[in-house]
Amino acid sequence: MDAEKILTELGYTLPSPVKPAGSYVPALKVGNFLFLSGILPFREGNVLKKGKVGKDLSIEEAQQEAIRVVLNALAIVKDFLGNLENVKQCVKITGYIASAKDFTEQPKVLNPASELMTKIFGEKGKHCRVAVGVYNLPFDAAVEMDFIFEVK
């Protein structure tokens, strides 16, 4: 089944691709791999949920931010490749979670994002992952993620 149709059935729509917030490109294809720069949970140009997980945001709120990052990432992939059917495999996701000093459940924040990738792409959505706790992120976002995809 078509990835965008699955997204719709899950209740999601792809936003417009987010423009870079600095001097970099959002995506770069090298050989059969598409590398995405760090992506924030922008909604119409703004980060709505700000702060540190475990202090300013709950795990559940941060999970929703991580899902938003996936939607923003897929919008960039679609814009770059023309459609999501050109994704052969989600290879790796690195997630950075702005964390309160004693917060240690970073993997829980990313789990729904990883599960969404598998729902959308099936076996092609299974990936390696790193979940890192950091003190601050750009625009005071709670979550930032970068992605590597194998593409056709």
Side-chain angles (χ1 to χ4, degrees), residues 97-151:
I97 296 91
S99 302
K101 184 179 176 184
D102 58 349
F103 184 77
T104 60
E105 299 188 70
Q106 289 81 6
K108 283 186 181 178
V109 171
L110 296 182
N111 284 342
S114 291
E115 291 160 6
L116 180 58
M117 291 296 281
T118 304
K119 287 177 186 173
I120 296 166
F121 294 109
E123 289 295 313
K124 300 185 307 182
K126 292 184 178 177
H127 53 272
C128 297
R129 190 180 81 186
V130 178
V132 180
V134 298
Y135 188 71
N136 281 326
L137 288 170
F139 304 99
D140 202 21
V143 179
E144 180 175 10
M145 297 159 66
D146 65 54
F147 299 76
I148 302 171
F149 292 94
E150 183 183 15
V151 298

Side-chain angles (χ1 to χ4, degrees), residues 39-43 46-50 57 59-72 109 113 141-145:
I39 299 171
L40 298 170
F42 282 118
R43 289 171 183 78
N46 296 301
V47 173
L48 300 182
K49 301 266 184 176
K50 296 183 176 193
L57 285 88
I59 290 175
E60 293 76 17
E61 289 172 311
Q63 289 171 333
Q64 290 306 308
E65 295 300 280
I67 287 171
R68 183 59 186 200
V69 170
V70 168
L71 297 174
N72 287 343
V109 171
V143 179
E144 180 175 10
M145 297 159 66

